[in-house]
Structure formats: structure tokens, C-alpha cells
Amino acid sequence: MDNYEELIEKLENIVNSMENDELSLEEAMKNYEEGIKLSNKLYKILNEAEGKIKLLTENGEIDFKDE
């Protein structure tokens, strides 16, 4: 399984390709579909991390502040 940073890099590559390359409609649709899949994986990773952080706090959900 890819980690968060690897997935972000793949998504950035897709976005750059779509912005800078002249793609056929088929290539653009393929890139779009792959981008959506990567976004969903990233969202899941972030939700899982948020759940772990909430579990680790004694007083439930707290804001992180610079002290």
C-alpha cells in the first residue's frame, strides 16, 4: 500500500499532466478517474489519522495551538 506522501505525489503528477500536456479526451478521462481514486484514498487516510488523534486525546477533540 502506498503511503500518504506517495499518493500525494502521484496526484500532483496527474494534475500537472492535465494542466501542461495536450491530452486526448480518453487520456484526460483516464487521468481524471485515477485522480478521483487517489483523492478517495487520501481522504480515507486522513479520516483514519483524525480518528487516531481523537482517540489519543483525553478530553475528546481538542484544537492544536502553538503555545
Side-chain angles (χ1 to χ4, degrees):
M1 183 173 142
D2 295 317
N3 65 31
Y4 183 82
E5 290 78 14
E6 290 171 340
L7 293 173
I8 284 287
E9 185 176 339
K10 287 180 182 180
L11 185 57
E12 287 174 347
N13 290 337
I14 288 172
V15 170
N16 287 335
S17 174
M18 292 182 76
E19 289 178 343
N20 299 318
D21 298 338
E22 291 193 24
L23 304 174
S24 68
L25 179 58
E26 185 177 322
E27 291 170 322
M29 293 296 293
K30 181 181 174 187
N31 282 355
Y32 178 78
E33 183 179 340
E34 183 64 23
I36 294 297
K37 288 178 184 178
L38 290 170
S39 294
N40 289 336
K41 287 179 183 180
L42 289 163
Y43 182 75
K44 183 179 177 183
I45 291 170
L46 290 175
N47 276 340
E48 289 173 359
E50 181 182 23
K52 288 178 184 177
I53 290 169
K54 286 181 184 178
L55 287 174
L56 294 174
T57 60
E58 291 180 6
N59 299 320
E61 194 172 338
I62 60 171
D63 292 329
F64 292 101
K65 297 179 183 177
D66 292 330
E67 297 182 17

